[in-house]
């Protein structure tokens, strides 16, 4: 999809350098560092409260760390070298899918997706509709274009939310526990959409993804690398086959013993 070419600053690695983030007296991220190469999928695992979602939210500055830097393509997105225009480009290039779908209830499925194409990218109603229909086909919901969110299942709502994020043609996608609010039978349909995004032959460049999930089999199948967090720190990084078969740390071993 080439409706808008995004800034080339997004074409390189993501580099977290000594990130620390606190809420009051509670330090939720402690000196977190790591590199995600362009086009790679990193899955963040760990117990509740370990800082996974906060690290994800720091990526698009929904949360701003007190210490450290985040660099994308060599540009510190937290620093003064990022202009106001650069910040807008950054946010267009980073799509985020939340646990709860945040769809506009008074808009149809089609309108939920086309809204940002018209208002942010300035496309005509016809152009926005054509792109939105392609995205609905991509997530398997073309027949729901005129439905309102209240008429959709949870899994369908989340697939619309994914399509809406894709409308900006992002180079980076963030998924914050995208199936945690779904009934068990709806989980697979959402995970299948994410898997398809990771290997979509229609896309010129593979998207970089960061995913927070509690779905272990999904993590094993999709990740290029697992980051395991505990008490605000990344205590283990490894390929999924190594992490799940032979975790290095006792904390990861204990975590996996309880859920596998």
């Amino acid at each position: 999809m080439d409706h808008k070419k995004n800034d080339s600053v997004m074409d390189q690695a993501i580099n977290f350098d000594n990130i620390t983030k606190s809420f009051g007296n509670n330090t939720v991220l402690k000196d977190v560092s790591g590199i995600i190469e362009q086009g790679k999928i990193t899955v963040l695992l760990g117990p509740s409260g370990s800082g996974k979602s906060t690290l994800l939210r720091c990526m698009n500055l929904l949360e701003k760390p007190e210490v450290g830097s985040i660099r994308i393509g060599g540009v510190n997105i937290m620093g003064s070298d990022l202009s106001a225009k650069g910040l807008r480009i950054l946010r267009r290039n980073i799509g985020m899918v939340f646990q709860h779908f945040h769809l506009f209830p008074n808009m149809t499925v089609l309108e939920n997706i086309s809204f940002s194409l018209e208002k942010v990218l300035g496309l005509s109603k016809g152009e926005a509709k054509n792109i939105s229909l392609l995205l609905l086909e991509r997530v398997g919901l073309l027949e729901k274009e005129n439905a309102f969110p209240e008429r959709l299942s949870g899994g369908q709502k989340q697939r619309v939310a994914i399509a809406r994020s894709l409308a900006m043609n992002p180079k980076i996608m963030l998924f914050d526990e995208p199936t945690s609010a779904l009934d068990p039978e709806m989980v697979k349909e959402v995970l299948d959409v994410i898997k398809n995004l990771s290997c979509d032959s229609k896309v010129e460049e593979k998207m970089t993804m960061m995913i927070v999930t509690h779905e272990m089999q999904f993590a094993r199948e999709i990740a290029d690398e697992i980051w395991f967090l505990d008490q605000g720190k990344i205590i283990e990084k490894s390929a999924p086959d190594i992490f799940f078969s032979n975790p290095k740390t006792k904390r990861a071993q204990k975590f996996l013993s309880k859920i596998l």
Side-chain angles (χ1 to χ4, degrees):
M1 191 177 303
D2 59 357
H3 51 280
K4 284 286 180 180
K5 273 292 182 185
N6 293 326
D7 197 283
S8 61
V9 76
M10 301 298 293
D11 290 343
Q12 300 177 41
I14 303 166
N15 192 329
F16 296 93
D17 187 20
N18 303 118
I19 294 296
T20 297
K21 173 64 183 175
S22 300
F23 296 101
N25 295 325
N26 182 26
T27 303
V28 294
L29 293 174
K30 304 171 185 176
D31 198 29
V32 170
S33 296
I35 296 174
I36 301 174
E37 296 178 11
Q38 178 191 339
K40 298 299 184 182
I41 299 173
T42 299
V43 174
L44 310 181
L45 298 180
S48 297
S50 59
K52 306 181 300 295
S53 293
T54 300
L55 183 60
L56 208 67
R57 292 170 66 87
C58 287
M59 265 296 301
N60 58 5
L61 301 182
L62 289 174
E63 304 292 351
K64 192 166 184 179
E66 295 86 20
V67 178
S69 66
I70 302 172
R71 295 184 178 274
I72 303 176
V75 176
N76 181 8
I77 68 173
M78 294 162 47
S80 58
D81 51 347
L82 186 70
S83 65
K85 179 182 177 182
L87 182 59
R88 290 195 298 273
I89 291 171
L90 171 82
R91 287 189 164 142
R92 281 213 311 262
N93 274 281
I94 300 178
M96 187 158 185
V97 177
F98 300 88
Q99 298 177 35
H100 302 285
F101 327 110
H102 301 305
L103 300 179
F104 299 117
N106 59 330
M107 294 184 182
T108 65
V109 164
L110 185 69
E111 291 166 342
N112 263 279
I113 300 170
S114 62
F115 180 79
S116 59
L117 290 167
E118 295 178 44
K119 300 301 181 184
V120 178
L121 299 187
L123 301 186
S124 70
K125 187 174 289 291
E127 289 174 315
K129 179 178 180 179
N130 288 338
I131 291 169
S132 299
L133 290 174
L134 287 173
L135 289 168
L136 283 175
E137 183 178 20
R138 193 172 173 187
V139 300
L141 286 175
L142 190 56
E143 77 283 0
K144 297 293 185 181
E145 63 172 295
N146 295 316
F148 286 89
E150 65 178 10
R151 307 298 297 175
L152 303 179
S153 69
Q156 289 170 336
K157 290 177 185 177
Q158 192 62 290
R159 284 190 278 159
V160 174
I162 292 171
R164 185 176 60 181
S165 291
L166 292 173
M168 291 292 98
N169 199 20
K171 292 185 180 288
I172 298 170
M173 282 288 286
L174 310 176
F175 295 90
D176 188 8
E177 298 190 36
T179 60
S180 65
L182 302 180
D183 293 334
E185 68 266 23
M186 298 176 187
V187 169
K188 184 178 183 300
E189 66 186 68
V190 173
L191 296 183
D192 284 346
V193 168
I194 300 173
K195 287 179 188 177
N196 290 337
L197 294 180
S198 72
C199 57
D200 194 336
S201 61
K202 298 177 184 177
V203 178
E204 292 180 12
E205 293 181 358
K206 187 177 177 183
M207 278 189 296
T208 306
M209 296 187 193
M210 292 179 68
I211 304 172
V212 175
T213 184
H214 292 292
E215 301 291 335
M216 295 299 114
Q217 184 58 36
F218 169 68
R220 186 196 292 262
E221 292 174 4
I222 200 171
D224 292 301
E225 188 171 47
I226 301 289
W227 289 6
F228 181 76
L229 285 81
D230 186 51
Q231 297 183 353
K233 296 181 179 181
I234 299 176
I235 63 171
E236 190 162 340
K237 297 176 189 172
S238 61
D241 56 338
I242 295 173
F243 178 80
F244 286 104
S245 64
N246 189 27
K248 303 179 186 73
T249 62
K250 289 185 178 180
R251 183 65 188 94
Q253 293 167 11
K254 182 179 179 181
F255 174 80
L256 291 172
S257 71
K258 291 184 175 180
I259 60 176
L260 293 181

